[in-house]
Amino acid sequence: MSQFNYREGKMHCEQVALDEIAAEVGTPFYAYSRKMLTDHYTAFDQGFASAPHIVAYAVKANGSLGVVATLARLGAGADVVSAGELYRALKAGVDPQRIVYSGVGKTAEEMAYALRAGILMFNVESVEELEALNNVAAEVGKPAPVALRINPDVDPKTHKYISTGLKENKFGIDIAIAEQAYARAGELPNIRVIGLDCHIGSQLTQLGPVQDAVTRMANLIVALRADGHAIEFLDVGGGLGIVYSREHPPAPTEYAQVVLDAVKDLGVTLIMEPGRFIAGNAGALVTKVLYRKTNGEKRFIIIDAAMNDLLRPSLYDSFHEIKPVAEHSESGSPADIVGPICETGDFLARNREFPEVDQGELLAVLSAGAYGFSMASTYNARPKCAEVLVDGDKFHVIRRRETFEDLIEHETIPTGVV
Ligand code: LLP
């Protein structure tokens, strides 16, 4: 259930009015509901209760320490795709033995860091990466636990930028050569094969592709075991979709059932890497109306948040529901809700029926907890905004607003140049 609701005419997150947070931290800011993070994690985890499993939260969705730590305390593992994400996960208190490391381009330094940290498993995406990992493991003096990420060649039926399990995508090892790749892994002295991994895409709203992919993986496990590989773990990736507007994604229990049915006789420990499902609806971006104007027929609402704060509408043309923090009864007229950045692509909504809001009013951009702050930048020299974790009737600033000093912190002007 959403924790972003109107109470007495004002949008709250849990029991805290968003305007009270704004009065203290300014705008824009992200607000996350601890209860929603917890409920989503728990619902997902319980869906798989009948089998041994690890819910490895995809840190890329929202890597803020306060968010990852909230999940780590519930027992969540982590799926990381860079040494930086691994660092975040460890700092947030995730047990290294519940961390998997995915990604097509791990460097030798990143591999060594993860190996020393004692992570559960590397999801290796090419034979060349396997050879590189073998060399790093020899140097570090520790065998590398490995799953190969196999590209199942399944169409996930989602946005083309976030579909990953098709042959034409850069991810994973072609399923046609999976057994050869495992044979190579078996020959490498510092590689310890323990699992199999796949991930077909994000914002999945249909179970058919999931069922196809997991069934292919289950069949592959049978073949790999017959080839002599000890496959203990099956990582099925992330991807379960959420409601942004009118989508009908499966419930976590339905998703879990499809996965569990496909692997039921295999005795594997399942790993799932949900990101969006846990964090997406648990966060909102709160912003202030700066100006209103009309250019001919066109109505614009100019706000103090922009594509640098929330890139998804500009990059994927994705929909985020936007509501005034003070409840309006009228539905309004079409408007573009745009930020201050000097690009036409800087919008959070286009042609959206929106009530007449005043200058200074606050708006809440909903379902922004995943791939919101984690994709934020300082484009146009806009300091990154604050993040707040709401917990019942309290809130905690989990990331302060950046300052101008923060913007130039790592820069120097070379002497002699100016
Ligand atoms: N595991 C792997 C290997 C992934 O590549 C991803 C997402 C996940 C797990 C988590 O997927 P989720 O459960 O969150 O769907 N920036 C885009 C989404 C990119 C997803 C990339 N990979 C967006 O804003 O929609």
Side-chain angles (χ1 to χ4, degrees):
M1 206 186 71
S2 180
Q3 293 293 326
F4 290 89
N5 297 308
Y6 288 112
R7 294 178 177 211
E8 287 157 13
K10 260 197 231 170
M11 170 85 74
H12 285 59
C13 174
E14 301 195 12
Q15 280 113 65
V16 183
L18 293 177
D19 61 355
E20 280 170 31
I21 305 176
E24 206 162 311
V25 306
T27 54
F29 65 90
Y30 277 93
Y32 308 120
S33 158
R34 179 169 173 204
K35 178 157 177 25
M36 287 180 85
L37 290 168
T38 305
D39 288 353
H40 296 162
Y41 172 81
T42 308
F44 199 93
D45 190 44
Q46 280 174 356
F48 289 91
S50 65
H53 69 277
I54 297 173
V55 179
Y57 168 65
V59 172
K60 66 170 78 65
N62 185 327
S64 299
L65 289 184
V67 169
V68 184
T70 300
L71 299 168
R73 260 173 236 152
L74 301 170
D79 162 52
V80 301
V81 293
S82 67
E85 282 192 356
L86 174 56
Y87 180 76
R88 282 189 171 278
L90 294 172
K91 284 282 173 195
V94 181
D95 174 359
Q97 274 298 297
R98 296 172 81 76
I99 297 181
V100 294
Y101 187 173
S102 310
V104 287
K106 305 172 193 80
T107 65
E109 293 74 20
E110 290 183 306
M111 290 171 178
Y113 174 55
L115 209 48
R116 291 201 175 95
I119 65 164
L120 176 66
M121 156 173 122
F122 289 85
N123 290 333
V124 172
E125 303 220 14
S126 63
V127 175
E128 288 194 0
E129 183 192 335
L130 198 53
E131 313 263 353
L133 182 58
N134 180 56
N135 294 337
V136 171
E139 275 162 37
V140 173
K142 231 178 167 184
V146 157
L148 296 191
R149 176 166 173 184
I150 301 301
N151 184 325
D153 196 24
V154 163
D155 182 356
K157 307 214 160 49
T158 183
H159 190 290
K160 67 177 188 318
Y161 281 15
I162 53 177
S163 100
T164 47
L166 274 171
K167 266 205 175 119
E168 67 204 52
N169 303 132
K170 69 179 175 184
F171 298 98
I173 296 171
D174 185 351
I175 191 161
I177 59 158
E179 288 188 66
Q180 282 152 264
Y182 270 91
R184 181 67 190 131
E187 289 165 5
L188 295 170
N190 306 300
I191 295 291
R192 194 160 59 85
V193 171
I194 60 168
L196 172 63
D197 169 48
C198 73
H199 168 81
I200 59 171
S202 196
Q203 185 54 14
L204 308 175
T205 53
Q206 297 180 32
L207 284 174
V210 175
Q211 188 171 29
D212 273 7
V214 182
T215 305
R216 284 179 196 198
M217 292 303 112
N219 294 338
L220 187 53
I221 289 177
V222 173
L224 292 172
R225 284 179 173 169
D227 293 343
H229 301 288
I231 308 292
E232 297 164 55
F233 295 95
L234 173 61
D235 183 337
V236 299
L240 180 58
I242 61 168
V243 178
Y244 286 97
S245 87
R246 294 198 184 89
E247 303 86 346
H248 297 284
T253 43
E254 295 170 311
Y255 170 81
Q257 208 48 56
V258 162
V259 175
L260 290 167
D261 284 349
V263 302
K264 59 178 177 303
D265 302 321
L266 291 175
V268 285
T269 296
L270 284 167
I271 301 175
M272 283 72 57
E273 304 170 351
R276 190 190 314 268
F277 177 79
I278 289 174
N281 286 325
L285 173 63
V286 180
T287 170
K288 189 169 74 183
V289 175
L290 295 175
Y291 307 109
R292 291 90 36 91
K293 69 175 176 185
T294 47
N295 287 351
E297 293 291 286
K298 192 104 193 155
R299 174 181 168 219
F300 291 98
I301 299 170
I302 301 157
I303 56 177
D304 67 357
M307 66 190 284
N308 73 299
D309 302 301
L310 179 61
L311 184 59
R312 303 190 71 258
S314 306
L315 190 58
Y316 312 117
D317 210 13
S318 49
F319 178 97
H320 286 264
E321 189 164 354
I322 305 182
K323 289 185 168 171
V325 168
E327 196 168 12
H328 285 245
S329 50
E330 79 280 11
S331 64
S333 59
D336 281 13
I337 303 178
V338 302
I341 284 184
C342 303
E343 285 203 31
T344 303
D346 178 30
F347 57 85
L348 293 192
R350 282 190 296 190
N351 289 321
R352 186 77 59 87
E353 294 287 320
F354 211 75
E356 286 305 324
V357 281
D358 284 329
Q359 254 184 305
E361 266 198 66
L362 298 175
L363 310 182
V365 184
L366 300 177
S367 308
Y371 307 108
F373 192 88
S374 65
M375 293 175 76
S377 74
T378 57
Y379 186 39
N380 273 207
R382 292 168 50 85
K384 285 191 191 170
C385 71
E387 293 176 283
V388 162
L389 183 69
V390 178
D391 184 13
D393 58 2
K394 295 189 192 59
F395 72 89
H396 309 275
V397 177
I398 57 170
R399 194 183 208 275
R400 66 158 172 80
R401 185 176 308 286
E402 286 186 359
T403 62
F404 295 149
E405 291 75 33
D406 292 329
L407 284 179
I408 58 166
E409 189 187 12
H410 306 291
E411 299 176 37
T412 47
I413 300 173
T415 47
V417 170
V418 285

